[in-house]
Amino acid sequence: TVYELAAASEDEVNAHWAGLGFYRRARMLHAGAKLVVDKYDGRPPETVDELLKIPGIGPYTASAVASIAYNVSVPVVDGNVCRVLSRLKGVAQNIKASVFKDDLGWRLAKQIVAADGGGYAGE
């Protein structure tokens, strides 16, 4: 449970993570569990802004969790969404460029979600 993970020592977490690599992810998961237990009484927050405060959670994950778990009407932008948006809008720019994937892609997706009234935007 999130409580058991939060109560574990860093050595215990690393022992369970052994062999998977990316030990920074284990540290972030551990720190995130502690924050969820301490600040949110063990229940992950329901808004994108609050989810972004959890270590290791970025815009994509925060939006996906809020949208799918809590039915919050927000866009969820990944590489596939950027590809579709670039074709819809005729954007010739490299979709992996940060100006597209970190800015324009999110703005375009927000416009679509707002125009549609939300629903299941993250699915």
Side-chain angles (χ1 to χ4, degrees), residues 75-91:
V76 179
V77 178
D78 65 3
N80 290 325
V81 171
C82 285
R83 236 182 316 284
V84 169
L85 291 173
S86 69
R87 290 179 182 143
L88 279 173
K89 292 293 192 172
V91 176

Side-chain angles (χ1 to χ4, degrees), residues 5 13 16 18 33-34 40 44 62 65 72 78 87 104-105 120:
L5 179 56
V13 172
H16 286 285
K34 289 179 180 183
Y40 302 103
V65 169
V72 176
D78 65 3
R87 290 179 182 143
L104 184 59
Y120 297 99

Side-chain angles (χ1 to χ4, degrees), residues 13 17 33 42 46-47 55 72 74 80-81 95 102 105 108 113-118:
V13 172
W17 200 268
E46 297 181 12
T47 68
V72 176
V74 292
N80 290 325
V81 171
I95 63 166
D102 297 336
L108 292 171
V113 170
D116 184 43

Side-chain angles (χ1 to χ4, degrees), residues 99-123:
V99 71
F100 188 86
K101 70 178 184 71
D102 297 336
D103 183 36
L104 184 59
W106 283 93
R107 282 192 285 136
L108 292 171
K110 284 178 185 176
Q111 289 173 2
I112 292 169
V113 170
D116 184 43
Y120 297 99
E123 291 186 1

Side-chain angles (χ1 to χ4, degrees), residues 8-19:
S9 71
E10 188 172 328
D11 287 339
E12 289 173 308
V13 172
N14 284 336
H16 286 285
W17 200 268

